[in-house]
Amino acid sequence: QVLAILCLRGTDPFLPECLRRLANMKYANFTLRIVIDSENDPACETVKAFLHAESPSHVEVTYLRNRRPHCSGKFSGILAATEKLPEGCEIVAFFDGDTMVFPDCLKELVAPLQDERIGVTSGNRWYAPQSQNFASLVRFTWNALAVPFMNVAQMPWGGCMALRAREMSNPAVREYCEQRFNEDMTLGSYVIQQGQRVFFVTNATIVNHETITMKSFYNFLVRQLLAVRSSFFGWRLLFVNILALNLSVLALYCL
């Protein structure tokens, strides 16, 4: 039994397709729990239209009532969604509103967790923009360099990840999460400190076709670095590697 969680704040061009794909994943026993930021959120209309069109019996929709003061809105949504787990739930999975999953994605995420040495399973994103603007090219290059480092450093991606339900039910883990900015680095660091490891599921690499402006990319990159700085125990090593990598890329451009 798996609880799949989708936290929404604002709408996204890919959200209708994301909802359809998540609801139709080929997995025998799972519940999709959607947590919307508020009843006035723009995502409400998209979710209502999806429910009206599909009428899925295994999809639940709730609204974020208790916003924790010291963690992000998404983490508040995850903590709210996991306060009461479905009976017999063994795995909790997280997805983002622009994650275009494939039919067997949940199977791929759950299978490695049969090994107790693995604490978190994760996919990753791969940007393949349809336009050729400069900002999209920069983010594509950034992503191409980030993916292998995330695998080496065991830094999961919150847009497509899973862990055992008992971790999210642990009062100590929940209290720890209430003080953190992002779920992926926080839970990844936690399981590593418990002697487990993060397992990357190559088949769960999610292609993202969206374009971006330089301003949006700058804000995106600041969030990524803030997430690492606030929650990842090896952030100093990451900083040194990024600095060396950027200097190398700059040298290649100069040459």
Side-chain angles (χ1 to χ4, degrees):
Q1 170 74 5
V2 176
L3 174 64
I5 298 172
L6 175 65
C7 297
L8 296 175
R9 181 178 183 179
T11 190
D12 185 280
F14 298 97
L15 182 56
E17 181 65 12
C18 170
L19 291 168
R20 188 188 68 80
R21 292 192 182 202
L22 285 175
N24 290 289
M25 287 187 292
K26 293 181 180 178
Y27 194 84
N29 194 10
F30 82 100
T31 299
L32 174 60
R33 188 170 289 175
I34 303 171
V35 183
I36 306 177
D37 194 66
S38 73
E39 295 178 358
N40 300 318
D41 194 275
C44 288
E45 292 303 318
T46 305
V47 173
K48 288 178 181 177
F50 162 74
L51 294 175
H52 178 73
E54 300 281 340
S55 301
S57 60
H58 61 297
V59 176
E60 305 172 358
V61 179
T62 63
Y63 298 96
L64 183 56
R65 308 292 185 189
N66 181 21
R67 191 181 304 277
R68 271 76 171 180
H70 302 301
C71 66
S72 65
K74 184 180 179 182
F75 228 153
S76 286
I78 289 173
L79 290 169
T82 53
E83 282 181 353
K84 186 177 181 181
L85 297 173
E87 185 177 353
C89 179
E90 295 184 76
I91 306 292
V92 176
F94 310 130
F95 299 95
D96 282 347
D98 59 352
T99 301
M100 300 289 104
V101 299
F102 55 96
D104 289 330
C105 185
L106 204 50
K107 288 182 182 179
E108 298 280 1
L109 287 176
V110 169
L113 290 171
Q114 297 178 77
D115 186 343
E116 286 292 331
R117 296 172 296 178
I118 296 173
V120 167
T121 58
S122 175
N124 217 324
R125 59 193 153 200
W126 187 262
Y127 289 107
Q130 300 302 293
S131 71
Q132 298 179 12
N133 69 333
F134 182 67
S136 295
L137 176 62
V138 171
R139 185 170 65 171
F140 168 78
T141 306
W142 167 86
N143 181 80
L145 298 172
V147 167
F149 186 85
M150 290 173 68
N151 279 262
V152 172
Q154 298 191 67
M155 299 163 60
W157 174 50
C160 179
M161 63 179 285
L163 75 163
R164 294 177 184 83
R166 66 172 183 257
E167 304 294 356
M168 292 308 304
S169 299
N170 186 335
V173 174
R174 296 182 67 83
E175 183 179 355
Y176 179 71
C177 291
E178 288 182 357
Q179 311 296 322
R180 295 293 180 268
F181 172 68
N182 65 316
E183 76 289 353
D184 43 16
M185 297 295 176
T186 297
L187 295 170
S189 295
Y190 171 78
V191 299
I192 291 172
Q193 290 167 357
Q194 301 303 307
Q196 296 175 310
R197 63 188 179 94
V198 176
F199 183 87
F200 279 90
V201 181
T202 306
N203 287 344
T205 300
I206 306 298
V207 179
N208 187 311
H209 294 296
E210 68 183 19
T211 59
I212 197 170
T213 63
M214 282 304 297
K215 181 179 179 181
S216 297
F217 173 67
Y218 173 79
N219 293 332
F220 164 82
L221 197 56
V222 168
R223 287 198 307 274
Q224 302 304 305
L225 296 176
L226 175 61
V228 174
R229 175 64 182 87
S230 63
S231 304
F232 184 59
F233 66 92
W235 70 269
R236 291 179 177 85
L237 174 63
L238 176 64
F239 175 78
V240 171
N241 276 271
I242 287 178
L243 183 62
L245 187 59
N246 280 284
L247 290 174
S248 300
V249 172
L250 180 62
L252 287 173
Y253 278 127
C254 292
L255 288 172

